[in-house]
Each structure stands twice: as structure tokens, then as C-alpha cells.
Amino acid sequence: MKFETTMTEQEVFDELQSLCASPGYVHILAMLSFRDNLVMFPGELTSEAMTASYAPERTVRTEFSTLLGLMLKQRIDFSYPAPEEIERLLNRTRELLEELHACLNQPMLAGLKRAALEAKAGLSIEEASPFLQGDVLREPIFYGSESAYSFQYRDLAVERYTLDNDWLIANKGFRIADGCAVADALSELANNKLSALLESLPELPPSHWSLLPGFTFSLDEISQASGLPPNTAEAVLDAFTAPIGPANADFNRIGDFNLANARPILRTPAADYVSLQAYGVVESLYDSPYYWMAADKAYRNTAFQHRGSFTEEFTAKRLAAMFGEANVHRGVNIMSGAKTISEIDVLVIFADRAIVVQCKSKKLTLEARKGNDLQLRDDFKKAVSDAYDQAHLCATSLSDTTLKFIRADGVEMNIPSMCEIYPMCVVSDHYPALAAQARQYLSVRTDDVILAPLVGDVFLVDVLAEMLVSPLRFLSYVSRRVRYGD
């Protein structure tokens, strides 16, 4: 990793924009996507094949989306670059991405030096922490790993938007399951086409060696592979395909809205479709419909309700897979006489252990991604802090024998004496650097019974339920994670 740089972040961004405007740069993106996202192997997949596929200089998805978004700012030139030009473009792309990472690292390096001096002067490690500054968090926000596997985005999108199918059909011309079918088709077609393309490349003149045809598909191909009528497949593609450039005019620095994240599919002059990053398609499939519906004032409140219900229902369903449905309760009201003290979104009671889950559907805003301290803290408060405060209140209430706990069906629960209570905060979307922000911004309160909270998203809940199939394994994992979190 490069730590020193003589360029400013804006200088790097502007030069990347000029580079992405180069004739034939789309072929460079195809090469990067092939190198960084696909594993080629003969016969069975082995650990050796996986290891050999790793490229230390690989682009992370946020970097690739940045390059794609910058290319959209002008009309894309699909001409073939000369072999020597391909090498120049690849090398300069790598150099500039290293410079960009170095630029984003500068606030962290300066913060670490300052923290060392402040700690030496007597401040505690917590008080001197550089991660309390928004500009320091820009690096982990941009380069942090993804929350979800691609299949999670695809599968959970169906559960998230099934209740909105009527709106989707009326306004977009397809159901959410149709979107998933197209996303699957694009991935399957790429696998098949790239394999065939690699075999045929030696037969082509070197001036036409390109991997872009392996990511390029006709409407008929996508329709057949997805099993959808052409008009339905086209409706899905139209929703996720970027307009012919110039476009993406508001993308002028890291953290600005990038059209490539919402509409990652390209259109060729021959009216074919180019999908360079299958992950970007399913991520947009999970995220974008919410914004379409939120823009409809008549439907906005319904979309909000469905979004919140999905988070609670999905979390309860996955916890029930481990603890049994009889031990998992949704919408538990805490009553003091006729007064409602609070509500537990999902409550798990297992012997003398309890898990108190509060769900939120708040994303990290664009302004926060730019490093705005106040916005970062405000976003975190709405996404996690408020949920934790409510979870902690509910956790303390479990030991109050004067209170009643009423399930959604009106039945009063019998709460046993608790040995350990785990507050849990679950968000419905990818929230970059969530663990780092939770460590810095959350005021945690613990005692002999109530432990530190587990903060995560629906994708984490899904993975834990898949891997930790028994209550004891799940509780053991959570116990260690919240105790060893620092």
C-alpha cells in the first residue's frame, strides 16, 4: 500500500476522469473485471486455483464503480485500443488508484501521529483516538469490505420487495423476482461466454483481442437465459442500464452520487447490453427499488412500512431457524399498567438467556461518506445509537417484575430470571465501516447481566444463522464477539 503522495485527492480524481475518457477504456474495465472477479480453473475448483486467482493489485468494488462512473461522464468509445495503449492505460489506472488510496490515508496518518502525541500528554486512548474524526473514517468507508455475498443481495431482494410487486409492475413493468432472474442470467451468460471467448481469442488478430464480448449480451440472449418474455427482460434492463453518455454529471469527487452504483449496465451502439460487474447489478437490485418508491409521494409511506417490516420479519425468521419459533417473538410491548414503556422488535428467550433485537432501516448518507463529522454522527445515531438505547431500555426492563410483556397476539409472556442479556442492533442495508463506527461512537453500558451490543446488518444475521445452526453455538459466538470487541 502506498502511503505518501504529492498529489491532492481532486488532482487524482480529475486525472482518473481524463483517463476513463480515453478511446476504448471500456475494454480496460473488461480486463480488470475478468482479472479481479473471476476464477479460471480446469476440472474441480481447488484451494490452489483460488490462490492463483488472487491479484495483489486487484481493484475493490468501490474503485471499479468509480472508474465505471467516470467513464459514463462522456459518450463511451467502444473502439479497440492498440496493444501498447492497453498497457499504458492499465498501468496508469493502477498508479492513480494507488495515489487515491494514499490521499485517503493522509487524514488517518496525521490522526495517528496526533493521537500518539495526545496520549503521551496524558489523554486516554479513547479520547485520543483518531477515528473520532469524520475525514479519518473516509478510508475505511471507501475501502471496507462488502457486507453481503452477491447471492444474499439477490435472494433478500425478493423478500424485501415482494409486498411492493404491484407498484413495481405498474411503474416499472416487472416483479422483483423478474429482476433476480435477469441478474442470474447476466452472471450465467458471462461465465459461458467468457469460457468460449478465451478459446477463440488466438484465432483473432491481436488488434481485436478483448474480453468485452464476454460481458456483452443481446436482449434475446438475456430473455432466453432468464426465462422471461423479451418485453419483461427489457423492462428490467431499462431500470438498471445507464443512459448513453454524457451522464453522471454530479459525480465530481469521491462521495458524490455515482450513477454507476444505481445503473451499472451499459448499452452498446449495436443496442446490446454490457454487464461488467455482476455484483453491482444485484446490489442495485437490492437498493434501488426503495428509492424509486420513495420518490412516489403517494406510495412513500407504504414503502417505508414494508422496508421496516422486512428487517424485523427476516431477522425473526433467521433467529427462529436456530432457536425455534416458540422462542422467538416479534413486536413485544413492555407495559407498565396501561402505559407502553417500549417495544421490542424481536425478543429471543432461551433458558436464562435473552436476545433483545432492535431493527433500523437507515443508510449512510452521501454527506457522511464525504467525511462530514456531524452528518456521520447523526447518521449513526439514527441507524444504531437510537436502536441501542431502546434495546438497552428493553434489556433492563426484563428484570423488572412490575412490568408486563405482551406479545403481538395479546398473550402475556412469562419472563424468567436472566443470566445474560444480549442487546442486538440490526440494520437493513450495507453500512460501511459499521464495526469501526460502533466502536467509536456508541456509548456502551454493561453490567453483570446486560452485555455489550452486537451491531450488524441483515446479511450478518443470515450468515450467522447459516453457520451457527444451534442455539449454543450462536450464543457462544455472540458472547465472545461482544466481550472481545475492543
Side-chain angles (χ1 to χ4, degrees):
M1 184 187 298
K2 182 182 176 71
F3 289 101
E4 300 298 329
T5 180
T6 58
M7 301 179 70
T8 67
E9 182 182 326
Q10 196 59 47
E11 287 173 342
V12 176
F13 189 90
D14 292 342
E15 188 170 340
L16 274 174
Q17 180 172 325
S18 297
L19 195 71
C20 293
S22 304
Y25 193 80
V26 66
H27 297 276
I28 304 302
L29 289 185
M31 294 178 68
L32 292 176
S33 181
F34 177 83
R35 182 195 69 186
D36 299 338
N37 298 314
L38 291 140
V39 180
M40 300 299 293
F41 59 94
E44 294 185 4
L45 178 62
T46 63
S47 58
E48 289 77 14
M50 287 291 292
T51 302
S53 72
Y54 176 72
E57 69 277 15
R58 73 182 297 271
T59 52
V60 297
R61 299 194 197 281
T62 46
E63 290 175 324
F64 190 91
S65 294
T66 297
L67 299 175
L68 184 60
L70 290 173
M71 190 176 67
L72 291 175
K73 299 194 74 170
Q74 56 283 312
R75 193 177 185 90
I76 299 173
D77 185 334
F78 284 85
S79 61
Y80 290 88
E84 61 273 13
E85 178 67 358
I86 290 175
E87 184 176 5
R88 183 190 75 83
L89 292 172
L90 279 171
N91 289 338
R92 190 54 183 156
T93 298
R94 175 181 53 80
E95 293 167 356
L96 287 172
L97 289 178
E98 288 179 353
E99 294 288 348
L100 179 63
H101 201 164
C103 288
L104 291 177
N105 267 325
Q106 296 312 301
M108 183 179 295
L109 295 174
L112 289 171
K113 293 176 183 177
R114 183 171 57 252
L117 293 174
E118 291 175 346
K120 190 175 181 180
L123 284 181
S124 68
I125 294 177
E126 290 76 14
E127 292 173 316
S129 173
F131 291 98
L132 294 173
Q133 299 171 250
D135 59 348
V136 172
L137 283 169
R138 290 186 68 223
E139 194 276 343
I141 286 173
F142 188 78
Y143 291 100
S145 59
E146 301 88 6
S147 286
Y149 293 103
S150 59
F151 60 82
Q152 287 182 297
Y153 273 136
R154 180 200 64 204
D155 295 346
L156 269 63
V158 175
E159 298 194 40
R160 193 182 201 196
Y161 297 115
T162 292
L163 293 177
D164 302 300
N165 271 333
D166 289 344
W167 187 95
L168 288 170
I169 293 170
N171 292 272
K172 294 293 182 178
F174 63 90
R175 299 172 302 127
I176 191 63
D178 300 329
C180 293
V182 169
D184 274 343
L186 292 173
S187 181
E188 180 185 350
L189 285 168
N191 287 338
N192 295 334
K193 274 203 164 186
L194 284 166
S195 296
L197 177 63
L198 291 174
E199 294 179 2
S200 65
L201 275 182
E203 302 172 7
L204 300 174
S207 60
H208 281 63
W209 283 359
S210 172
L211 293 166
L212 184 62
F215 296 98
T216 305
F217 323 107
S218 69
L219 175 60
D220 285 343
E221 287 177 315
I222 298 170
S223 174
Q224 291 178 21
S226 64
L228 298 174
N231 62 322
T232 304
E234 188 174 22
V236 175
L237 292 164
D238 286 349
F240 297 99
T241 299
I244 301 298
N248 213 14
D250 293 332
F251 186 44
N252 296 309
R253 57 167 290 189
I254 299 297
D256 286 343
F257 171 73
N258 181 2
L259 182 65
N261 292 324
R263 308 183 79 170
I265 301 173
L266 309 177
R267 201 80 189 269
T268 72
D272 289 332
Y273 297 90
V274 177
S275 176
L276 291 171
Q277 198 178 48
Y279 190 94
V281 175
V282 292
E283 185 176 26
S284 183
L285 183 70
Y286 184 84
D287 283 337
S288 294
Y290 168 74
Y291 293 102
W292 305 339
M293 293 180 284
D296 182 345
K297 292 182 179 179
Y299 193 76
R300 182 182 301 164
N301 289 337
T302 301
F304 288 167
Q305 292 171 5
H306 290 171
R307 188 186 190 196
S309 295
F310 156 75
T311 312
E312 292 181 23
E313 289 176 6
F314 182 82
T315 300
K317 181 181 72 173
R318 297 306 274 144
L319 289 174
M322 290 179 288
F323 291 93
E325 292 187 9
N327 297 314
V328 179
H329 315 277
R330 275 193 66 201
V332 177
N333 285 308
I334 305 174
M335 308 294 296
S336 176
K339 180 182 178 182
T340 301
I341 303 298
S342 189
E343 180 186 3
I344 304 174
D345 289 340
V346 182
L347 174 63
V348 179
I349 300 290
F350 186 78
D352 56 359
R353 264 74 170 175
I355 302 172
V356 177
V357 184
Q358 298 300 146
C359 301
K360 291 291 182 183
S361 299
K362 179 73 175 68
K363 292 173 67 73
L364 192 64
T365 60
L366 293 176
E367 193 61 33
R369 290 172 184 266
K370 295 177 183 179
N372 183 312
D373 283 301
L374 293 177
Q375 191 62 55
L376 266 169
R377 292 174 183 271
D378 186 62
D379 284 359
F380 186 81
K381 180 180 185 300
K382 294 174 181 176
V384 178
S385 294
D386 289 349
Y388 172 61
D389 290 342
Q390 187 176 357
H392 189 270
L393 170 63
C394 295
T396 58
S397 299
L398 288 174
S399 60
D400 188 341
T401 57
T402 66
L403 300 177
K404 292 183 179 181
F405 295 79
I406 311 299
R407 297 189 326 205
D409 60 5
V411 175
E412 182 177 351
M413 297 179 61
N414 179 30
I415 305 297
S417 176
M418 291 295 166
C419 173
E420 290 180 346
I421 301 175
Y422 301 94
M424 189 172 177
C425 306
V426 178
V427 296
S428 63
D429 298 275
H430 169 51
Y431 200 99
L434 179 57
Q437 293 186 61
R439 189 175 297 116
Q440 298 303 321
Y441 294 148
L442 204 58
S443 298
V444 175
R445 291 145 286 170
T446 63
D447 55 36
D448 292 339
V449 176
I450 302 174
L451 279 72
L454 175 64
V455 179
D457 50 37
V458 290
F459 311 112
L460 173 65
V461 173
D462 189 37
V463 169
L464 296 183
E466 187 71 22
M467 304 298 290
L468 307 171
V469 295
S470 75
L472 294 181
R473 288 187 181 277
F474 182 85
L475 290 170
S476 176
Y477 169 85
V478 175
S479 175
R480 281 156 177 75
R481 175 152 174 178
V482 300
R483 285 186 166 95
Y484 306 157
D486 290 333

